[in-house]
Amino acid sequence: MKRDSRLSGVLHVLLHMAEHEGPATSEVLAKAMDTNPVVIRRTMAGLRDQGYVRSEKGHGGGWTLACDLSKVTLRDIYAALGSPSLLAMGNRTEAPGCLVEQAVNAALDQAFDDAEALLLARLGEVTLAMLSADFHARLVARGGRRDLHSVHAS
């Protein structure tokens, strides 16, 4: 089953943007993400609509952050992506006639609801600034350079 990795990808791009001096083009961000610039532009347009990024056209243009990293949580970005499904599992049928399956669904529904609430709460506790701080600690521990391309080095 294919996992929805948009949240992870968007967070990755946003942190790259935080490290990039000046606007970052869709092409530069796409290279960092190993994807197509069109995918970056489509995703970034949604974030722009929510006020998290801005775009500048023309020579020297590109994408820049338009938010305070300490005020934006992972849950905020998750919501900006349209709140995609958090869990890949679900019930076999949503409205079963079988009483056994109704009992199974009731137990699973409660477990799924509890898991989603816990995950959303955790996403709401972590800011982009916290991710940036973690990145910087890892960078210092590695003794690496501070540019957009070197952070992918192993």
Side-chain angles (χ1 to χ4, degrees):
M1 175 178 289
K2 178 99 170 93
R3 292 183 183 199
D4 186 335
S5 62
R6 288 179 295 165
L7 179 60
S8 175
V10 166
L11 295 171
H12 187 160
V13 165
L14 292 173
L15 289 181
H16 272 291
M17 290 172 63
E19 296 302 312
H20 191 75
E21 291 187 25
T25 65
S26 298
E27 289 73 20
V28 167
L29 295 173
K31 186 175 181 182
M33 292 299 303
D34 194 27
T35 191
N36 190 298
V38 172
V39 173
I40 296 294
R41 284 189 284 275
R42 189 178 313 130
T43 302
M44 298 304 275
L47 294 177
R48 180 184 55 214
D49 294 344
Q50 298 295 317
Y52 296 120
V53 298
R54 70 175 64 90
S55 62
E56 300 171 26
K57 294 184 180 183
H59 181 69
W63 298 99
T64 56
L65 290 174
C67 62
D68 179 344
L69 296 184
S70 68
K71 297 194 183 328
V72 179
T73 67
L74 277 57
R75 186 172 182 167
D76 295 330
I77 302 302
Y78 164 78
L81 292 173
S83 301
S85 178
L86 290 172
L87 301 175
M89 294 191 306
N91 294 323
R92 190 174 70 91
T93 57
E94 289 305 314
C98 174
L99 296 177
V100 170
E101 193 165 4
Q102 288 175 16
V104 168
N105 283 8
L108 289 178
D109 285 343
Q110 186 61 56
F112 295 153
D113 290 347
D114 291 349
E116 284 191 4
L118 183 62
L119 182 52
L120 288 172
R122 179 65 180 132
L123 292 177
E125 295 170 358
V126 180
T127 66
L128 295 180
M130 293 165 76
L131 292 183
S132 181
D134 182 32
F135 158 69
H136 283 275
R138 291 169 188 270
L139 187 64
V140 167
R142 182 189 286 177
R145 295 184 352 221
R146 270 193 68 162
D147 66 62
L148 188 63
H149 303 291
S150 68
V151 297
H152 282 273
S154 42

